[in-house]
Amino acid sequence: MAPIRPGFGNQDLCLLKRRSFLLLKLTAVVFATVLFCEFLIYYLVIFQCDWPEVKTPARESAQKTLKAMFLADTHLLGEVRGHWLDKLRREWQMERAFQTALWLLQPEVVFILGDIFDEGKWSSPQAWADDVQRFRKIFRHPRHVQLKVVAGNHDIGFHYQMSTYKIKRFEKVFNPKRLFSWKGTNFVMVNSVALEGDGCHICSQAEAELLEISHQLNCSREHFPLYRRSDANCSGEDAAPLEERGIPFKERYDVLSREASQQLLWWLRPRLILSGHTHSACEVLHGVGIPEISVPSFSWRNRNNPSFIMGSMTPTEYALAKCYLPHEATVLATYCVAAGLLAVLLLVHSRLLPSPFLFGWNLLRKFKTT
């Protein structure tokens, strides 16, 4: 009969306690990291944003300030080019950013300036239905918040891809109303893809709609920017990269044509224009000083530092501010630091690396004895 080793049970108990404590530490690090990177960081960053104040405060009750949020180029991936991991990561980022902004900032209306989907220009009916379902989940909102959407070239195709079927499909999901008025401020949602100027049926109909409501408008929303040579005069941390700013824009592809731009300015005479499409920020002046703001992409897929515009508007004044979202690089760096900490904990537990606390204590004792 084998002899019983005294203390054998205690050794097993100590080993079990060490392993349980290690598992607890690893779980705590993983949980804290995921909680910070996937939830808390959005609150910490967006909490720093605040609504701008108009220069001339509204005095009459009819001139209450309208709080509007503008974002662009969400590019929800489709079934052809959308990898499941890419969808999961970037769409979760947009969902958390949008829901956090709604909760913290309480906008009254949200405008999305085109390219909601990435493959709307060729998606099948079933793929379109799936994309719409994901959109409604990501950008869900309370009933008192208005959500207005402008069509982009990835939603209905460029002019040569555009069809009545695609436009009707888009308008069946999103309100086709071109003119939106609230608190004395008029907004027009322009189908800029249809402003080709070649007399096609869809183009003629879009131009007729703009002419009909032109006398009521003072703010314009569209996907394509108005004509400009390039982004050479754009600046800011979310502008296009320096090496890309001087690249000339192609009319009817990167920006509207000169003729269509002049028509819009003449018909609408807006006090403010907001657009998307370029995925980068820019501010330019048209005609007699009409500002156009290009809103950067809202998705990590298109840029490391997405953002959106906050607008405080009255019938006579407006003020704009930019709200940045968490940088993707910051989140990735946080995960890398956490992975390094986990590796250190495992090495210390395996006695392949001395404990930092024990190493510091021994170094301090050695220093005292000398």
Side-chain angles (χ1 to χ4, degrees), residues 50-68:
D50 200 6
W51 291 100
E53 294 185 3
V54 292
K55 295 180 180 179
T56 305
R59 297 177 181 177
E60 301 178 3
S61 58
Q63 286 187 311
K64 293 180 179 178
T65 302
L66 175 66
K67 294 180 179 180

PDB file of all heavy atoms in Angstrom, residues 50-68:
ATOM      1  N   ASP A  50     -21.186  69.117 -28.030  1.00  0.00           N
ATOM      2  CA  ASP A  50     -22.280  69.946 -27.544  1.00  0.00           C
ATOM      3  C   ASP A  50     -22.879  70.723 -28.709  1.00  0.00           C
ATOM      4  O   ASP A  50     -22.190  71.020 -29.697  1.00  0.00           O
ATOM      5  CB  ASP A  50     -21.786  70.908 -26.466  1.00  0.00           C
ATOM      6  CG  ASP A  50     -22.920  71.433 -25.609  1.00  0.00           C
ATOM      7  OD1 ASP A  50     -24.066  70.960 -25.791  1.00  0.00           O
ATOM      8  OD2 ASP A  50     -22.675  72.314 -24.762  1.00  0.00           O
ATOM      9  N   TRP A  51     -24.146  71.037 -28.595  1.00  0.00           N
ATOM     10  CA  TRP A  51     -24.831  71.762 -29.657  1.00  0.00           C
ATOM     11  C   TRP A  51     -24.306  73.189 -29.753  1.00  0.00           C
ATOM     12  O   TRP A  51     -24.160  73.863 -28.727  1.00  0.00           O
ATOM     13  CB  TRP A  51     -26.338  71.789 -29.406  1.00  0.00           C
ATOM     14  CG  TRP A  51     -26.972  70.449 -29.549  1.00  0.00           C
ATOM     15  CD1 TRP A  51     -27.324  69.598 -28.543  1.00  0.00           C
ATOM     16  CD2 TRP A  51     -27.304  69.785 -30.776  1.00  0.00           C
ATOM     17  NE1 TRP A  51     -27.861  68.440 -29.067  1.00  0.00           N
ATOM     18  CE2 TRP A  51     -27.859  68.532 -30.431  1.00  0.00           C
ATOM     19  CE3 TRP A  51     -27.186  70.127 -32.121  1.00  0.00           C
ATOM     20  CZ2 TRP A  51     -28.300  67.625 -31.388  1.00  0.00           C
ATOM     21  CZ3 TRP A  51     -27.617  69.225 -33.075  1.00  0.00           C
ATOM     22  CH2 TRP A  51     -28.166  67.995 -32.716  1.00  0.00           C
ATOM     23  N   PRO A  52     -24.027  73.661 -30.948  1.00  0.00           N
ATOM     24  CA  PRO A  52     -23.569  75.056 -31.100  1.00  0.00           C
ATOM     25  C   PRO A  52     -24.717  76.025 -30.868  1.00  0.00           C
ATOM     26  O   PRO A  52     -25.893  75.669 -31.041  1.00  0.00           O
ATOM     27  CB  PRO A  52     -23.083  75.104 -32.554  1.00  0.00           C
ATOM     28  CG  PRO A  52     -23.926  74.075 -33.259  1.00  0.00           C
ATOM     29  CD  PRO A  52     -24.139  72.970 -32.257  1.00  0.00           C
ATOM     30  N   GLU A  53     -24.386  77.227 -30.487  1.00  0.00           N
ATOM     31  CA  GLU A  53     -25.395  78.254 -30.254  1.00  0.00           C
ATOM     32  C   GLU A  53     -25.431  79.208 -31.442  1.00  0.00           C
ATOM     33  O   GLU A  53     -24.384  79.620 -31.946  1.00  0.00           O
ATOM     34  CB  GLU A  53     -25.085  79.031 -28.976  1.00  0.00           C
ATOM     35  CG  GLU A  53     -25.189  78.187 -27.705  1.00  0.00           C
ATOM     36  CD  GLU A  53     -24.985  79.013 -26.460  1.00  0.00           C
ATOM     37  OE1 GLU A  53     -24.821  80.248 -26.595  1.00  0.00           O
ATOM     38  OE2 GLU A  53     -24.990  78.446 -25.362  1.00  0.00           O
ATOM     39  N   VAL A  54     -26.632  79.538 -31.875  1.00  0.00           N
ATOM     40  CA  VAL A  54     -26.775  80.490 -32.983  1.00  0.00           C
ATOM     41  C   VAL A  54     -26.367  81.879 -32.493  1.00  0.00           C
ATOM     42  O   VAL A  54     -26.510  82.214 -31.314  1.00  0.00           O
ATOM     43  CB  VAL A  54     -28.224  80.507 -33.512  1.00  0.00           C
ATOM     44  CG1 VAL A  54     -28.558  79.201 -34.202  1.00  0.00           C
ATOM     45  CG2 VAL A  54     -29.205  80.778 -32.388  1.00  0.00           C
ATOM     46  N   LYS A  55     -25.835  82.674 -33.410  1.00  0.00           N
ATOM     47  CA  LYS A  55     -25.339  84.005 -33.039  1.00  0.00           C
ATOM     48  C   LYS A  55     -26.461  84.905 -32.537  1.00  0.00           C
ATOM     49  O   LYS A  55     -26.301  85.648 -31.576  1.00  0.00           O
ATOM     50  CB  LYS A  55     -24.642  84.655 -34.238  1.00  0.00           C
ATOM     51  CG  LYS A  55     -23.385  83.925 -34.683  1.00  0.00           C
ATOM     52  CD  LYS A  55     -22.757  84.611 -35.874  1.00  0.00           C
ATOM     53  CE  LYS A  55     -21.498  83.872 -36.319  1.00  0.00           C
ATOM     54  NZ  LYS A  55     -20.879  84.516 -37.506  1.00  0.00           N
ATOM     55  N   THR A  56     -27.599  84.848 -33.229  1.00  0.00           N
ATOM     56  CA  THR A  56     -28.751  85.661 -32.833  1.00  0.00           C
ATOM     57  C   THR A  56     -29.807  84.728 -32.256  1.00  0.00           C
ATOM     58  O   THR A  56     -30.493  84.030 -33.008  1.00  0.00           O
ATOM     59  CB  THR A  56     -29.326  86.423 -34.033  1.00  0.00           C
ATOM     60  OG1 THR A  56     -28.282  87.186 -34.646  1.00  0.00           O
ATOM     61  CG2 THR A  56     -30.455  87.342 -33.589  1.00  0.00           C
ATOM     62  N   PRO A  57     -29.956  84.676 -30.946  1.00  0.00           N
ATOM     63  CA  PRO A  57     -30.934  83.762 -30.341  1.00  0.00           C
ATOM     64  C   PRO A  57     -32.339  84.066 -30.823  1.00  0.00           C
ATOM     65  O   PRO A  57     -32.720  85.231 -31.033  1.00  0.00           O
ATOM     66  CB  PRO A  57     -30.803  84.035 -28.841  1.00  0.00           C
ATOM     67  CG  PRO A  57     -29.463  84.682 -28.680  1.00  0.00           C
ATOM     68  CD  PRO A  57     -29.219  85.440 -29.947  1.00  0.00           C
ATOM     69  N   ALA A  58     -33.118  83.019 -31.009  1.00  0.00           N
ATOM     70  CA  ALA A  58     -34.514  83.196 -31.438  1.00  0.00           C
ATOM     71  C   ALA A  58     -35.313  83.856 -30.332  1.00  0.00           C
ATOM     72  O   ALA A  58     -35.244  83.461 -29.181  1.00  0.00           O
ATOM     73  CB  ALA A  58     -35.112  81.837 -31.796  1.00  0.00           C
ATOM     74  N   ARG A  59     -36.085  84.885 -30.678  1.00  0.00           N
ATOM     75  CA  ARG A  59     -36.846  85.653 -29.679  1.00  0.00           C
ATOM     76  C   ARG A  59     -38.311  85.249 -29.649  1.00  0.00           C
ATOM     77  O   ARG A  59     -38.953  85.243 -28.600  1.00  0.00           O
ATOM     78  CB  ARG A  59     -36.716  87.145 -29.964  1.00  0.00           C
ATOM     79  CG  ARG A  59     -35.272  87.641 -29.853  1.00  0.00           C
ATOM     80  CD  ARG A  59     -35.174  89.124 -30.214  1.00  0.00           C
ATOM     81  NE  ARG A  59     -33.799  89.602 -30.127  1.00  0.00           N
ATOM     82  CZ  ARG A  59     -33.431  90.839 -30.444  1.00  0.00           C
ATOM     83  NH1 ARG A  59     -34.325  91.713 -30.864  1.00  0.00           N
ATOM     84  NH2 ARG A  59     -32.163  91.184 -30.349  1.00  0.00           N
ATOM     85  N   GLU A  60     -38.843  84.940 -30.812  1.00  0.00           N
ATOM     86  CA  GLU A  60     -40.257  84.608 -30.869  1.00  0.00           C
ATOM     87  C   GLU A  60     -40.443  83.111 -30.718  1.00  0.00           C
ATOM     88  O   GLU A  60     -39.560  82.316 -31.023  1.00  0.00           O
ATOM     89  CB  GLU A  60     -40.862  85.080 -32.194  1.00  0.00           C
ATOM     90  CG  GLU A  60     -40.714  86.584 -32.402  1.00  0.00           C
ATOM     91  CD  GLU A  60     -41.267  87.008 -33.739  1.00  0.00           C
ATOM     92  OE1 GLU A  60     -41.812  86.131 -34.445  1.00  0.00           O
ATOM     93  OE2 GLU A  60     -41.158  88.195 -34.084  1.00  0.00           O
ATOM     94  N   SER A  61     -41.586  82.712 -30.243  1.00  0.00           N
ATOM     95  CA  SER A  61     -41.861  81.292 -30.020  1.00  0.00           C
ATOM     96  C   SER A  61     -41.820  80.508 -31.319  1.00  0.00           C
ATOM     97  O   SER A  61     -41.494  79.321 -31.332  1.00  0.00           O
ATOM     98  CB  SER A  61     -43.245  81.132 -29.354  1.00  0.00           C
ATOM     99  OG  SER A  61     -44.255  81.709 -30.166  1.00  0.00           O
ATOM    100  N   ALA A  62     -42.166  81.173 -32.433  1.00  0.00           N
ATOM    101  CA  ALA A  62     -42.156  80.495 -33.729  1.00  0.00           C
ATOM    102  C   ALA A  62     -40.738  80.252 -34.226  1.00  0.00           C
ATOM    103  O   ALA A  62     -40.532  79.538 -35.191  1.00  0.00           O
ATOM    104  CB  ALA A  62     -42.921  81.313 -34.755  1.00  0.00           C
ATOM    105  N   GLN A  63     -39.757  80.874 -33.568  1.00  0.00           N
ATOM    106  CA  GLN A  63     -38.376  80.739 -34.015  1.00  0.00           C
ATOM    107  C   GLN A  63     -37.550  79.907 -33.043  1.00  0.00           C
ATOM    108  O   GLN A  63     -36.440  80.256 -32.683  1.00  0.00           O
ATOM    109  CB  GLN A  63     -37.737  82.113 -34.179  1.00  0.00           C
ATOM    110  CG  GLN A  63     -38.222  82.857 -35.409  1.00  0.00           C
ATOM    111  CD  GLN A  63     -37.439  84.121 -35.629  1.00  0.00           C
ATOM    112  OE1 GLN A  63     -37.245  84.919 -34.735  1.00  0.00           O
ATOM    113  NE2 GLN A  63     -36.961  84.302 -36.842  1.00  0.00           N
ATOM    114  N   LYS A  64     -38.109  78.799 -32.588  1.00  0.00           N
ATOM    115  CA  LYS A  64     -37.361  77.899 -31.721  1.00  0.00           C
ATOM    116  C   LYS A  64     -36.257  77.213 -32.514  1.00  0.00           C
ATOM    117  O   LYS A  64     -36.402  76.902 -33.684  1.00  0.00           O
ATOM    118  CB  LYS A  64     -38.303  76.865 -31.111  1.00  0.00           C
ATOM    119  CG  LYS A  64     -39.321  77.471 -30.144  1.00  0.00           C
ATOM    120  CD  LYS A  64     -40.211  76.392 -29.571  1.00  0.00           C
ATOM    121  CE  LYS A  64     -41.220  76.992 -28.591  1.00  0.00           C
ATOM    122  NZ  LYS A  64     -42.134  75.969 -28.044  1.00  0.00           N
ATOM    123  N   THR A  65     -35.168  76.949 -31.838  1.00  0.00           N
ATOM    124  CA  THR A  65     -34.017  76.346 -32.503  1.00  0.00           C
ATOM    125  C   THR A  65     -34.270  74.867 -32.782  1.00  0.00           C
ATOM    126  O   THR A  65     -34.732  74.126 -31.915  1.00  0.00           O
ATOM    127  CB  THR A  65     -32.763  76.500 -31.628  1.00  0.00           C
ATOM    128  OG1 THR A  65     -32.543  77.889 -31.376  1.00  0.00           O
ATOM    129  CG2 THR A  65     -31.548  75.910 -32.318  1.00  0.00           C
ATOM    130  N   LEU A  66     -33.973  74.454 -33.992  1.00  0.00           N
ATOM    131  CA  LEU A  66     -34.085  73.057 -34.396  1.00  0.00           C
ATOM    132  C   LEU A  66     -32.721  72.391 -34.286  1.00  0.00           C
ATOM    133  O   LEU A  66     -31.730  72.909 -34.794  1.00  0.00           O
ATOM    134  CB  LEU A  66     -34.599  72.964 -35.832  1.00  0.00           C
ATOM    135  CG  LEU A  66     -34.670  71.557 -36.442  1.00  0.00           C
ATOM    136  CD1 LEU A  66     -35.714  70.714 -35.712  1.00  0.00           C
ATOM    137  CD2 LEU A  66     -34.990  71.631 -37.930  1.00  0.00           C
ATOM    138  N   LYS A  67     -32.663  71.237 -33.620  1.00  0.00           N
ATOM    139  CA  LYS A  67     -31.417  70.487 -33.468  1.00  0.00           C
ATOM    140  C   LYS A  67     -31.386  69.376 -34.509  1.00  0.00           C
ATOM    141  O   LYS A  67     -32.176  68.426 -34.448  1.00  0.00           O
ATOM    142  CB  LYS A  67     -31.308  69.902 -32.062  1.00  0.00           C
ATOM    143  CG  LYS A  67     -31.186  70.963 -30.968  1.00  0.00           C
ATOM    144  CD  LYS A  67     -31.080  70.307 -29.600  1.00  0.00           C
ATOM    145  CE  LYS A  67     -30.923  71.361 -28.504  1.00  0.00           C
ATOM    146  NZ  LYS A  67     -30.829  70.746 -27.162  1.00  0.00           N
ATOM    147  N   ALA A  68     -30.464  69.514 -35.463  1.00  0.00           N
ATOM    148  CA  ALA A  68     -30.368  68.563 -36.572  1.00  0.00           C
ATOM    149  C   ALA A  68     -28.991  67.913 -36.598  1.00  0.00           C
ATOM    150  O   ALA A  68     -27.982  68.573 -36.358  1.00  0.00           O
ATOM    151  CB  ALA A  68     -30.643  69.265 -37.905  1.00  0.00           C
TER     152      ALA A  68
END
